């Protein structure tokens, strides 16, 4: 009986040590949230300070799909709500990049583009490649497909 208790104690300690090691070696589920939070904070700061021309990345949920803007360069337009609660208008140039045809309210879209301040939360544009290579290429990601 004494040997059984010793084995049980050793097994319990070994299990606890193993659990602690495996949980500390796994990336935290908050890692992506922390990255998104940092980017959201950059966008919120730019909005508060009325700054523009800032390259940003992030993601949000589509809350409204707007009609395409067909005056001048054609743009697909929709509004994203970020995790912070801030909304931004995405103006995606569909003369230079493919249109997201399957976009629906509630979809998650990730982006890399340039933030421009406006009183309603801001606009993200340059979500496409720059054919003249003078600007950082941007993109949109929807359902694991990248549009640039």
């Amino acid at each position: 009986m004494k040997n059984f208790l010793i084995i049980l104690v050793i097994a319990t300690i070994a299990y606890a040590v193993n659990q602690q090691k495996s949980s500390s070696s796994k990336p935290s589920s908050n890692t992506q949230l922390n990255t998104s939070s940092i980017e959201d904070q950059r966008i919120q700061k730019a909005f508060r300070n009325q700054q523009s021309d800032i390259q940003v990345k992030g993601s949000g949920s589509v809350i409204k799909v707007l009609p395409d803007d067909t005056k001048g360069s054609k743009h697909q337009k929709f509004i994203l709500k970020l995790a912070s609660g801030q909304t931004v208008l995405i103006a995606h140039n569909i003369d230079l990049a493919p249109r997201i045809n399957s976009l629906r309210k509630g979809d998650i879209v990730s982006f890399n583009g340039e933030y421009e301040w406006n009183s309603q939360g801001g606009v993200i544009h340059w979500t496409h490649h720059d054919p003249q290579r003078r600007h950082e290429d941007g993109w949109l990601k929807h359902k694991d497909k990248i549009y640039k």
Side-chain angles (χ1 to χ4, degrees):
M1 182 72 166
K2 190 175 180 181
N3 286 342
F4 175 75
L5 288 175
I6 291 171
I7 292 171
L8 183 62
V9 168
I10 291 171
T12 303
I13 292 170
Y15 177 78
V17 168
N18 189 38
Q19 285 297 101
Q20 186 176 13
K21 281 183 182 177
S22 71
S23 68
S24 65
S25 66
K26 292 179 185 173
S28 166
S29 62
N30 290 333
T31 302
Q32 186 175 8
L33 289 175
N34 289 341
T35 303
S36 294
S37 295
I38 291 167
E39 288 298 324
D40 274 13
Q41 288 172 11
R42 286 185 69 222
I43 294 169
Q44 285 182 306
K45 182 180 177 186
F47 176 68
R48 270 193 318 273
N49 297 332
Q50 299 185 9
Q51 295 174 304
S52 293
D53 305 322
I54 299 170
Q55 194 72 26
V56 295
K57 292 179 183 174
S59 65
S61 176
V62 177
I63 60 170
K64 186 161 188 161
V65 177
L66 302 167
D68 290 351
D69 180 356
T70 57
K71 295 178 184 157
S73 298
K74 294 178 187 147
H75 286 79
Q76 181 176 19
K77 297 172 101 176
F78 53 94
I79 299 172
L80 289 182
K81 185 172 188 176
L82 308 179
S84 64
Q86 181 170 341
T87 58
V88 291
L89 172 67
I90 302 293
H92 181 59
N93 188 322
I94 52 178
D95 282 336
L96 295 174
R99 184 178 196 289
I100 304 174
N101 289 319
S102 62
L103 189 67
R104 301 285 179 265
K105 184 177 178 180
D107 288 355
I108 302 299
V109 176
S110 299
F111 59 85
N112 178 17
E114 187 175 271
Y115 177 83
E116 293 289 332
W117 182 87
N118 75 19
S119 63
Q120 297 175 322
V123 179
I124 308 291
H125 67 121
W126 281 99
T127 57
H128 53 80
H129 71 285
D130 178 7
Q132 297 175 343
R133 299 189 180 269
R134 288 191 235 152
H135 193 281
E136 181 177 331
D137 287 347
W139 47 262
L140 296 176
K141 184 175 180 183
H142 176 254
K143 296 185 178 180
D144 294 325
K145 183 174 178 184
I146 295 177
Y147 298 80
K148 56 181 180 174

